[in-house]
Amino acid sequence: GTDPAAAFLHRLIEKHDVADTEFLVDAGGYLTALARHELSGQLDYQIRNHIEKWFQTVTMRIDRFHSFWRGSQTSAKQWLRRFRHHYNHERPNQALDGQTPAEQIQN
């Protein structure tokens, strides 16, 4: 909703200089919240869909990880660092025409 979005943006503004930032948002309360704080935002579902797919993948893997992990907290952190590297630098992504996210950013 708009009020939680506005509260989040308020806290963000207190901690960071976001005056020149353009926010990528959905059509929900964030557009109104951005306007309340005189911040810039746009709808771009193509990029947003890539982000949503990434969060869906991460959420699914976290659920699996939580259900089956029996290691220590240190080994979990190490595994997550390795996963992040694999996902961004080694794993081809269908939505990015077979490129990795790192390759997509560099091009």
Side-chain angles (χ1 to χ4, degrees):
T2 301
D3 291 336
F8 169 76
L9 290 170
H10 178 75
R11 289 189 307 274
L12 190 68
I13 291 166
E14 287 179 335
K15 294 180 180 183
H16 305 282
D17 179 12
V18 295
D20 294 329
T21 304
E22 184 167 352
F23 292 88
L24 178 63
V25 299
D26 61 17
Y30 269 96
L31 285 179
T32 304
L34 287 168
R36 285 184 189 176
H37 291 287
E38 298 180 355
L39 296 171
S40 175
Q42 73 171 9
L43 295 173
D44 185 340
Y45 288 107
Q46 183 177 7
I47 295 171
R48 184 176 172 269
N49 288 341
H50 292 302
I51 294 167
E52 291 289 332
K53 178 63 178 165
W54 183 83
F55 276 114
Q56 180 184 27
T57 300
V58 169
T59 300
M60 174 191 69
R61 295 197 182 194
I62 288 171
D63 287 345
R64 288 181 186 168
F65 187 80
H66 178 71
S67 298
F68 298 106
W69 188 260
R70 299 295 179 249
S72 67
Q73 184 175 4
T74 301
S75 63
K77 287 179 182 179
Q78 184 178 33
W79 184 91
L80 289 169
R81 278 193 299 274
R82 287 180 183 159
F83 171 75
R84 182 181 64 213
H85 178 81
H86 170 75
Y87 190 92
N88 288 321
H89 298 276
E90 298 169 3
R91 179 185 169 269
N93 190 307
Q94 286 180 322
L96 302 176
D97 295 325
Q99 292 183 313
T100 66
E103 291 170 333
Q104 179 72 24
I105 294 292
Q106 292 172 355
N107 293 332

